[in-house]
Amino acid sequence: MLLNLARRTLKPQRTAFSLGQLKCLSSTHGASSFISATNTTPDATPKISCVLELKDSPGALHDVLKYFWKYDLNITRIESRPKTLNALGEARFDFFVDFEANDKNAPSVQSLFASLESMTTKALILDEKDVMWFPRHLSELDLIANRTLDAGADLESDHPGFNDEVYRARRGELAKVAQEYQWNEPIPYIDYTEKEVETWAIVWDRMEGLLDKHACSEYKKSFASMKEHCGYGRDSIPQAQDITDYLQGRTGFRMRPVAGLLSSRDFLNGLAFRTFFSTQYIRHDSMPLYTPEPDICHELLGHAPMFADQDFADFSQEIGLASLGASDEDVQKLAWCYWHSVEFGLCKEGGEHKAYGAGLLSSYGELEYACADYRPAGGTDDRPEIKPWDPAVASVQEFPITTYQPVYFLAESLNDAKTKMREFCENLKKPFLSRHNPNTNEIWVDRPVKRKNHPAATEMEAEVKTA
């Protein structure tokens, strides 16, 4: 839940092939082609990364790779980039190669690059880069999941449940479940109380008709399917594990329990792994149509159905991948883009404005206010400003967190929203290009990096200061 912004090693094979044959290999982020990946523990084996520029000719890559074999340097990754033309119109390809080595000045490494000098138009070693810490494997989300900016049971004095000891105890109980969860375990089943289900039903009854009228078609398709496969209905609160099982089979997304609000960086880092940090508590029953913070009605009615749509899932992951190792300034830009899209985004459909943002899809008043062409709507005669979806504008557009949004961004479609977000992310000054490997649940980057400010070390420093 985002803070509401207040191995297998491979030796080179003796097979000749042209560089052009590599163009069709799949890519995910940074417009690069993945040939082979290794290492189950990204930081475990010392490696050197280099970039080689070659002419596009049959057997060119094979002729280069044989020298890695000659000098007994084990390749762990090869990655191609799209073909370019030089000033003479000659085709060139860039290849990024990782190989196991402790020192770039080692005799074997020096001999390798001396041999490659006459065979390449460019052969450069990429120096290690210091970056902000980010998770490299799904298991490392355990290191950030409990770095909440609030505790599940510690409520503000104006919270409807502040003086309800039973409610506070329940929040503490659910917070403990989230805090004890680990990445490779099934999400624990929550036995929701009769009062909690009644609160859910009130929200469900108020939202269902409005969702049918104002939600985008992608949402309605997923919502109908989740009624059938995930236990969605007014009389029971869906379980996070059932939703995860459903999403995994469609877009590869998963839910992960969290006790409270996370920082923008930590939350967005989770999206890089197609992981959505979700609360499991529900709003106080005294005000079932109001919540001062995201709760399970917001997460499961607003967010979860959209993650079953491929374009939306890809869109969300684009933001997450761009957040890895990013500067604080760029993380804020990405978080504001997230706010104006994943939380409050609109898209065109049949000449009307439809909602795909979870903040709208879980709020009966603001959903009507943002989408209806009549007035009054959402209890007001006011009308919001509608701007075309442009991440560069959205990334600096300020917003309130306690009132209806005065500005909404309208995409031509979910695919349009994704395409423009990808273009925006590619133009950020990223310290590296990143890719998520869904088969190994790892993040690969195109150069050696040194992650600083490790979460465990930060927590230890804080404990020492307070001791």
Side-chain angles (χ1 to χ4, degrees), residues 1 128 132 156 182 229 244 284 316 334 356 405 412:
M1 180 174 50
E128 186 176 65
M132 292 294 293
E156 298 291 337
Q182 294 187 330
H229 297 287
T244 289
H284 194 261
S316 300
L334 292 167
Y356 71 88
Q405 299 299 297
E412 294 295 321

Side-chain angles (χ1 to χ4, degrees), residues 226-384:
M226 294 173 84
K227 290 179 181 179
E228 180 180 355
H229 297 287
C230 301
Y232 268 63
R234 72 178 306 279
D235 297 323
S236 63
I237 299 176
Q239 295 292 321
Q241 185 60 55
D242 292 339
I243 296 172
T244 289
D245 293 340
Y246 173 84
L247 294 177
Q248 284 282 292
R250 284 158 176 78
T251 62
F253 248 86
R254 59 169 54 84
M255 311 293 281
R256 166 152 188 159
V258 68
L261 295 171
L262 295 175
S263 71
S264 297
R265 181 181 297 277
D266 287 347
F267 178 84
L268 296 179
N269 281 185
L271 293 179
F273 293 86
R274 290 185 177 250
T275 297
F276 179 74
F277 288 102
S278 173
T279 58
Q280 294 184 291
Y281 54 78
I282 198 165
R283 60 198 64 185
H284 194 261
D285 63 278
S286 66
M287 300 183 69
L289 297 177
Y290 166 79
T291 178
E293 82 254 278
D295 70 336
I296 203 165
C297 296
H298 173 76
E299 318 285 41
L300 302 192
L301 289 176
H303 283 292
M306 289 304 304
F307 288 125
D309 177 77
Q310 191 64 53
D311 280 334
F312 184 84
D314 293 344
F315 172 89
S316 300
Q317 189 178 34
E318 288 290 340
I319 299 176
L321 286 167
S323 76
L324 300 177
S327 66
D328 289 342
E329 178 184 0
D330 283 347
V331 167
Q332 177 176 301
K333 289 180 179 179
L334 292 167
W336 286 24
C337 284
Y338 178 97
W339 178 270
H340 291 298
S341 56
V342 179
E343 289 291 350
F344 291 98
L346 298 174
C347 62
K348 293 181 180 180
E349 192 174 294
E352 297 181 316
H353 297 173
K354 300 293 185 179
Y356 71 88
L360 298 174
L361 295 168
S362 58
S363 170
Y364 73 94
E366 189 155 6
L367 179 59
E368 183 182 43
Y369 165 77
C371 296
D373 58 2
Y374 54 81
R375 284 298 180 269
T380 179
D381 290 322
D382 296 337
R383 290 184 180 273

Side-chain angles (χ1 to χ4, degrees), residues 14-150:
R14 293 180 176 274
T15 304
F17 49 91
S18 73
L19 301 185
Q21 289 175 301
L22 299 174
K23 286 183 67 179
C24 62
L25 295 172
S26 64
S27 65
T28 55
H29 192 65
S32 57
S33 298
F34 178 71
I35 302 177
S36 62
T38 62
N39 263 345
T40 55
T41 53
D43 292 338
T45 304
K47 67 178 182 181
I48 289 176
S49 295
C50 64
V51 58
L52 309 174
E53 184 181 75
L54 309 180
K55 295 180 180 180
D56 186 8
S57 60
L61 182 59
H62 164 263
D63 292 340
V64 166
L65 295 184
K66 67 183 182 182
Y67 283 97
F68 288 85
W69 172 81
K70 177 179 180 179
Y71 296 113
D72 197 28
L73 294 169
N74 191 41
I75 292 176
T76 61
R77 180 183 67 107
I78 307 173
E79 179 181 320
S80 73
R81 291 294 162 79
K83 180 170 65 175
T84 60
L85 300 177
N86 64 11
L88 300 177
E90 299 170 325
R92 295 287 189 270
F93 269 90
D94 277 346
F95 283 87
F96 288 78
V97 180
D98 290 352
F99 59 93
E100 293 179 353
N102 289 306
D103 185 0
K104 66 181 180 181
N105 295 314
S108 59
V109 177
Q110 292 296 304
S111 297
L112 169 69
F113 279 86
S115 299
L116 295 180
E117 185 174 355
S118 63
M119 305 176 62
T120 63
T121 54
K122 178 174 64 179
L124 301 174
I125 290 179
L126 301 174
D127 291 330
E128 186 176 65
K129 188 176 185 64
D130 287 346
V131 299
M132 292 294 293
W133 188 93
F134 63 95
R136 291 289 298 272
H137 186 269
L138 182 64
S139 61
E140 292 188 327
L141 295 187
D142 286 352
L143 299 175
I144 62 177
N146 291 331
R147 299 202 301 180
T148 52
L149 303 178
D150 64 355

